[in-house]
Amino acid sequence: MTHVFTYGSLMFEQVWNEVVRGIYRSCPGTVSGFVRRSIQHEHYPAMLPGPVSSKVEGVLYLDIDAEDLARLDQFEGSIYDRRDVQVMTDNNSHAAQAYVLNDSYRNLVSEQEWDPEKFQDEGIHQFLGGYFGFDR
């Protein structure tokens, strides 16, 4: 079982539940040493290494089974690499994995910080409208 840190569209239950089959516990978390940036012309972000002092807030999903981890890998595609990260939650540190932008796709990223509230208010409906999901 693997913990997975999410920082973009998968932070939102509407999106998460379209991708995975299982029911998982989750909690807010923060990863240090990374930044979250918008992908050009898309509603979703990328996380990439940043200054040691930088932080990305997101949601930590606990004990993801192998089948759903494979579904997440397929959803994220080749532009992201699943990497080990340390996630802080209420003064606890958890080993987890997160989808970090593959360096060869750096040209897709803008310098603009991704805004989760804007995604929730404006982008999630368009994002879900363009996502055809998996066979359940």
Side-chain angles (χ1 to χ4, degrees), residues 112-134:
Q112 182 177 355
E113 177 77 21
W114 186 75
D115 184 351
E117 290 179 13
K118 182 177 179 184
F119 179 79
Q120 185 173 16
D121 293 342
E122 301 172 16
I124 194 168
H125 301 295
Q126 292 175 345
F127 180 84
L128 287 171
Y131 174 64
F132 299 105
F134 296 107

mmCIF file of all heavy atoms in Angstrom, residues 112-134:
data_model
loop_
_atom_site.group_PDB
_atom_site.id
_atom_site.type_symbol
_atom_site.label_atom_id
_atom_site.label_comp_id
_atom_site.label_asym_id
_atom_site.label_seq_id
_atom_site.Cartn_x
_atom_site.Cartn_y
_atom_site.Cartn_z
ATOM 1 N N GLN A 112 3.402 30.923 -13.771
ATOM 2 C CA GLN A 112 2.256 31.321 -12.955
ATOM 3 C C GLN A 112 1.911 30.233 -11.940
ATOM 4 O O GLN A 112 1.813 29.055 -12.282
ATOM 5 C CB GLN A 112 1.055 31.585 -13.858
ATOM 6 C CG GLN A 112 -0.179 32.048 -13.128
ATOM 7 C CD GLN A 112 -1.316 32.355 -14.097
ATOM 8 O OE1 GLN A 112 -1.155 32.319 -15.308
ATOM 9 N NE2 GLN A 112 -2.465 32.645 -13.543
ATOM 10 N N GLU A 113 1.715 30.651 -10.704
ATOM 11 C CA GLU A 113 1.265 29.748 -9.649
ATOM 12 C C GLU A 113 -0.136 29.245 -9.990
ATOM 13 O O GLU A 113 -0.977 30.001 -10.457
ATOM 14 C CB GLU A 113 1.244 30.502 -8.311
ATOM 15 C CG GLU A 113 0.738 29.711 -7.139
ATOM 16 C CD GLU A 113 1.740 28.721 -6.572
ATOM 17 O OE1 GLU A 113 2.950 28.893 -6.806
ATOM 18 O OE2 GLU A 113 1.299 27.781 -5.898
ATOM 19 N N TRP A 114 -0.384 27.952 -9.791
ATOM 20 C CA TRP A 114 -1.712 27.382 -10.040
ATOM 21 C C TRP A 114 -2.621 27.707 -8.869
ATOM 22 O O TRP A 114 -2.215 27.625 -7.712
ATOM 23 C CB TRP A 114 -1.597 25.876 -10.225
ATOM 24 C CG TRP A 114 -2.865 25.195 -10.613
ATOM 25 C CD1 TRP A 114 -3.457 25.215 -11.832
ATOM 26 C CD2 TRP A 114 -3.681 24.371 -9.777
ATOM 27 N NE1 TRP A 114 -4.599 24.455 -11.813
ATOM 28 C CE2 TRP A 114 -4.763 23.921 -10.565
ATOM 29 C CE3 TRP A 114 -3.611 23.963 -8.455
ATOM 30 C CZ2 TRP A 114 -5.762 23.078 -10.071
ATOM 31 C CZ3 TRP A 114 -4.597 23.135 -7.955
ATOM 32 C CH2 TRP A 114 -5.657 22.709 -8.762
ATOM 33 N N ASP A 115 -3.854 28.075 -9.150
ATOM 34 C CA ASP A 115 -4.797 28.518 -8.131
ATOM 35 C C ASP A 115 -5.894 27.466 -7.921
ATOM 36 O O ASP A 115 -6.791 27.340 -8.757
ATOM 37 C CB ASP A 115 -5.415 29.845 -8.576
ATOM 38 C CG ASP A 115 -6.347 30.446 -7.538
ATOM 39 O OD1 ASP A 115 -6.666 29.784 -6.528
ATOM 40 O OD2 ASP A 115 -6.769 31.597 -7.743
ATOM 41 N N PRO A 116 -5.848 26.717 -6.814
ATOM 42 C CA PRO A 116 -6.867 25.688 -6.560
ATOM 43 C C PRO A 116 -8.287 26.251 -6.459
ATOM 44 O O PRO A 116 -9.240 25.596 -6.893
ATOM 45 C CB PRO A 116 -6.451 25.062 -5.229
ATOM 46 C CG PRO A 116 -5.054 25.471 -4.999
ATOM 47 C CD PRO A 116 -4.829 26.728 -5.773
ATOM 48 N N GLU A 117 -8.426 27.448 -5.906
ATOM 49 C CA GLU A 117 -9.766 28.035 -5.786
ATOM 50 C C GLU A 117 -10.345 28.360 -7.159
ATOM 51 O O GLU A 117 -11.533 28.149 -7.409
ATOM 52 C CB GLU A 117 -9.724 29.281 -4.901
ATOM 53 C CG GLU A 117 -9.466 28.958 -3.444
ATOM 54 C CD GLU A 117 -9.409 30.194 -2.566
ATOM 55 O OE1 GLU A 117 -9.811 31.285 -3.026
ATOM 56 O OE2 GLU A 117 -8.954 30.056 -1.421
ATOM 57 N N LYS A 118 -9.523 28.876 -8.041
ATOM 58 C CA LYS A 118 -9.979 29.160 -9.406
ATOM 59 C C LYS A 118 -10.362 27.860 -10.106
ATOM 60 O O LYS A 118 -11.362 27.806 -10.826
ATOM 61 C CB LYS A 118 -8.891 29.896 -10.186
ATOM 62 C CG LYS A 118 -9.308 30.262 -11.585
ATOM 63 C CD LYS A 118 -8.222 31.042 -12.297
ATOM 64 C CE LYS A 118 -8.655 31.373 -13.720
ATOM 65 N NZ LYS A 118 -7.593 32.039 -14.464
ATOM 66 N N PHE A 119 -9.581 26.808 -9.889
ATOM 67 C CA PHE A 119 -9.914 25.511 -10.480
ATOM 68 C C PHE A 119 -11.268 25.036 -9.975
ATOM 69 O O PHE A 119 -12.108 24.587 -10.750
ATOM 70 C CB PHE A 119 -8.833 24.476 -10.154
ATOM 71 C CG PHE A 119 -9.132 23.114 -10.715
ATOM 72 C CD1 PHE A 119 -8.908 22.830 -12.056
ATOM 73 C CD2 PHE A 119 -9.635 22.111 -9.905
ATOM 74 C CE1 PHE A 119 -9.186 21.570 -12.580
ATOM 75 C CE2 PHE A 119 -9.915 20.849 -10.418
ATOM 76 C CZ PHE A 119 -9.684 20.577 -11.755
ATOM 77 N N GLN A 120 -11.486 25.146 -8.676
ATOM 78 C CA GLN A 120 -12.748 24.704 -8.097
ATOM 79 C C GLN A 120 -13.922 25.524 -8.632
ATOM 80 O O GLN A 120 -14.980 24.986 -8.927
ATOM 81 C CB GLN A 120 -12.698 24.789 -6.573
ATOM 82 C CG GLN A 120 -13.930 24.237 -5.905
ATOM 83 C CD GLN A 120 -13.780 24.173 -4.404
ATOM 84 O OE1 GLN A 120 -12.896 24.786 -3.806
ATOM 85 N NE2 GLN A 120 -14.638 23.408 -3.758
ATOM 86 N N ASP A 121 -13.723 26.832 -8.776
ATOM 87 C CA ASP A 121 -14.802 27.716 -9.211
ATOM 88 C C ASP A 121 -15.048 27.667 -10.720
ATOM 89 O O ASP A 121 -16.182 27.778 -11.166
ATOM 90 C CB ASP A 121 -14.503 29.167 -8.815
ATOM 91 C CG ASP A 121 -14.527 29.375 -7.307
ATOM 92 O OD1 ASP A 121 -15.085 28.524 -6.583
ATOM 93 O OD2 ASP A 121 -13.970 30.391 -6.853
ATOM 94 N N GLU A 122 -13.975 27.528 -11.502
ATOM 95 C CA GLU A 122 -14.096 27.664 -12.950
ATOM 96 C C GLU A 122 -13.629 26.453 -13.751
ATOM 97 O O GLU A 122 -14.235 26.106 -14.758
ATOM 98 C CB GLU A 122 -13.285 28.874 -13.426
ATOM 99 C CG GLU A 122 -13.697 30.185 -12.813
ATOM 100 C CD GLU A 122 -12.738 31.316 -13.172
ATOM 101 O OE1 GLU A 122 -11.943 31.159 -14.120
ATOM 102 O OE2 GLU A 122 -12.798 32.354 -12.496
ATOM 103 N N GLY A 123 -12.555 25.834 -13.344
ATOM 104 C CA GLY A 123 -11.903 24.841 -14.192
ATOM 105 C C GLY A 123 -12.371 23.412 -14.033
ATOM 106 O O GLY A 123 -12.270 22.618 -14.967
ATOM 107 N N ILE A 124 -12.890 23.057 -12.857
ATOM 108 C CA ILE A 124 -13.190 21.645 -12.607
ATOM 109 C C ILE A 124 -14.262 21.109 -13.550
ATOM 110 O O ILE A 124 -14.173 19.982 -14.027
ATOM 111 C CB ILE A 124 -13.556 21.391 -11.127
ATOM 112 C CG1 ILE A 124 -13.511 19.885 -10.828
ATOM 113 C CG2 ILE A 124 -14.893 22.011 -10.770
ATOM 114 C CD1 ILE A 124 -13.566 19.554 -9.353
ATOM 115 N N HIS A 125 -15.250 21.921 -13.872
ATOM 116 C CA HIS A 125 -16.325 21.460 -14.754
ATOM 117 C C HIS A 125 -15.810 21.242 -16.179
ATOM 118 O O HIS A 125 -16.164 20.249 -16.823
ATOM 119 C CB HIS A 125 -17.496 22.437 -14.728
ATOM 120 C CG HIS A 125 -18.059 22.620 -13.348
ATOM 121 N ND1 HIS A 125 -18.675 21.601 -12.660
ATOM 122 C CD2 HIS A 125 -18.058 23.678 -12.507
ATOM 123 C CE1 HIS A 125 -19.042 22.032 -11.465
ATOM 124 N NE2 HIS A 125 -18.669 23.297 -11.347
ATOM 125 N N GLN A 126 -14.959 22.143 -16.643
ATOM 126 C CA GLN A 126 -14.367 21.974 -17.968
ATOM 127 C C GLN A 126 -13.419 20.785 -17.971
ATOM 128 O O GLN A 126 -13.375 20.011 -18.921
ATOM 129 C CB GLN A 126 -13.652 23.248 -18.396
ATOM 130 C CG GLN A 126 -14.607 24.387 -18.652
ATOM 131 C CD GLN A 126 -13.877 25.687 -18.947
ATOM 132 O OE1 GLN A 126 -12.684 25.824 -18.694
ATOM 133 N NE2 GLN A 126 -14.611 26.653 -19.481
ATOM 134 N N PHE A 127 -12.648 20.627 -16.887
ATOM 135 C CA PHE A 127 -11.713 19.516 -16.781
ATOM 136 C C PHE A 127 -12.466 18.189 -16.832
ATOM 137 O O PHE A 127 -12.134 17.297 -17.606
ATOM 138 C CB PHE A 127 -10.911 19.635 -15.481
ATOM 139 C CG PHE A 127 -9.916 18.531 -15.290
ATOM 140 C CD1 PHE A 127 -8.668 18.601 -15.873
ATOM 141 C CD2 PHE A 127 -10.227 17.421 -14.529
ATOM 142 C CE1 PHE A 127 -7.747 17.583 -15.709
ATOM 143 C CE2 PHE A 127 -9.323 16.402 -14.354
ATOM 144 C CZ PHE A 127 -8.072 16.483 -14.952
ATOM 145 N N LEU A 128 -13.503 18.060 -16.009
ATOM 146 C CA LEU A 128 -14.273 16.819 -15.984
ATOM 147 C C LEU A 128 -15.033 16.601 -17.282
ATOM 148 O O LEU A 128 -15.218 15.454 -17.711
ATOM 149 C CB LEU A 128 -15.233 16.804 -14.791
ATOM 150 C CG LEU A 128 -14.571 16.598 -13.432
ATOM 151 C CD1 LEU A 128 -15.577 16.815 -12.310
ATOM 152 C CD2 LEU A 128 -13.923 15.226 -13.332
ATOM 153 N N GLY A 129 -15.456 17.676 -17.919
ATOM 154 C CA GLY A 129 -16.147 17.560 -19.193
ATOM 155 C C GLY A 129 -15.275 16.990 -20.294
ATOM 156 O O GLY A 129 -15.753 16.351 -21.223
ATOM 157 N N GLY A 130 -13.965 17.201 -20.178
ATOM 158 C CA GLY A 130 -13.032 16.688 -21.172
ATOM 159 C C GLY A 130 -12.379 15.383 -20.780
ATOM 160 O O GLY A 130 -11.595 14.818 -21.539
ATOM 161 N N TYR A 131 -12.705 14.867 -19.589
ATOM 162 C CA TYR A 131 -12.116 13.622 -19.110
ATOM 163 C C TYR A 131 -13.116 12.499 -19.320
ATOM 164 O O TYR A 131 -14.230 12.557 -18.832
ATOM 165 C CB TYR A 131 -11.747 13.746 -17.628
ATOM 166 C CG TYR A 131 -11.258 12.453 -17.035
ATOM 167 C CD1 TYR A 131 -10.086 11.858 -17.489
ATOM 168 C CD2 TYR A 131 -11.969 11.816 -16.026
ATOM 169 C CE1 TYR A 131 -9.643 10.670 -16.962
ATOM 170 C CE2 TYR A 131 -11.526 10.620 -15.492
ATOM 171 C CZ TYR A 131 -10.368 10.060 -15.963
ATOM 172 O OH TYR A 131 -9.924 8.877 -15.441
ATOM 173 N N PHE A 132 -12.714 11.480 -20.048
ATOM 174 C CA PHE A 132 -13.623 10.401 -20.387
ATOM 175 C C PHE A 132 -13.526 9.219 -19.438
ATOM 176 O O PHE A 132 -14.301 8.274 -19.537
ATOM 177 C CB PHE A 132 -13.421 9.974 -21.832
ATOM 178 C CG PHE A 132 -13.690 11.098 -22.781
ATOM 179 C CD1 PHE A 132 -12.654 11.770 -23.409
ATOM 180 C CD2 PHE A 132 -14.980 11.536 -23.028
ATOM 181 C CE1 PHE A 132 -12.893 12.835 -24.260
ATOM 182 C CE2 PHE A 132 -15.239 12.595 -23.867
ATOM 183 C CZ PHE A 132 -14.189 13.242 -24.496
ATOM 184 N N GLY A 133 -12.582 9.256 -18.524
ATOM 185 C CA GLY A 133 -12.507 8.249 -17.472
ATOM 186 C C GLY A 133 -12.071 6.888 -17.935
ATOM 187 O O GLY A 133 -11.647 6.687 -19.064
ATOM 188 N N PHE A 134 -12.183 5.953 -17.012
ATOM 189 C CA PHE A 134 -11.830 4.563 -17.239
ATOM 190 C C PHE A 134 -13.098 3.741 -17.211
ATOM 191 O O PHE A 134 -14.105 4.147 -16.644
ATOM 192 C CB PHE A 134 -10.922 4.063 -16.107
ATOM 193 C CG PHE A 134 -9.599 4.766 -16.046
ATOM 194 C CD1 PHE A 134 -9.349 5.686 -15.038
ATOM 195 C CD2 PHE A 134 -8.601 4.508 -16.960
ATOM 196 C CE1 PHE A 134 -8.129 6.326 -14.958
ATOM 197 C CE2 PHE A 134 -7.377 5.138 -16.897
ATOM 198 C CZ PHE A 134 -7.147 6.058 -15.875
#
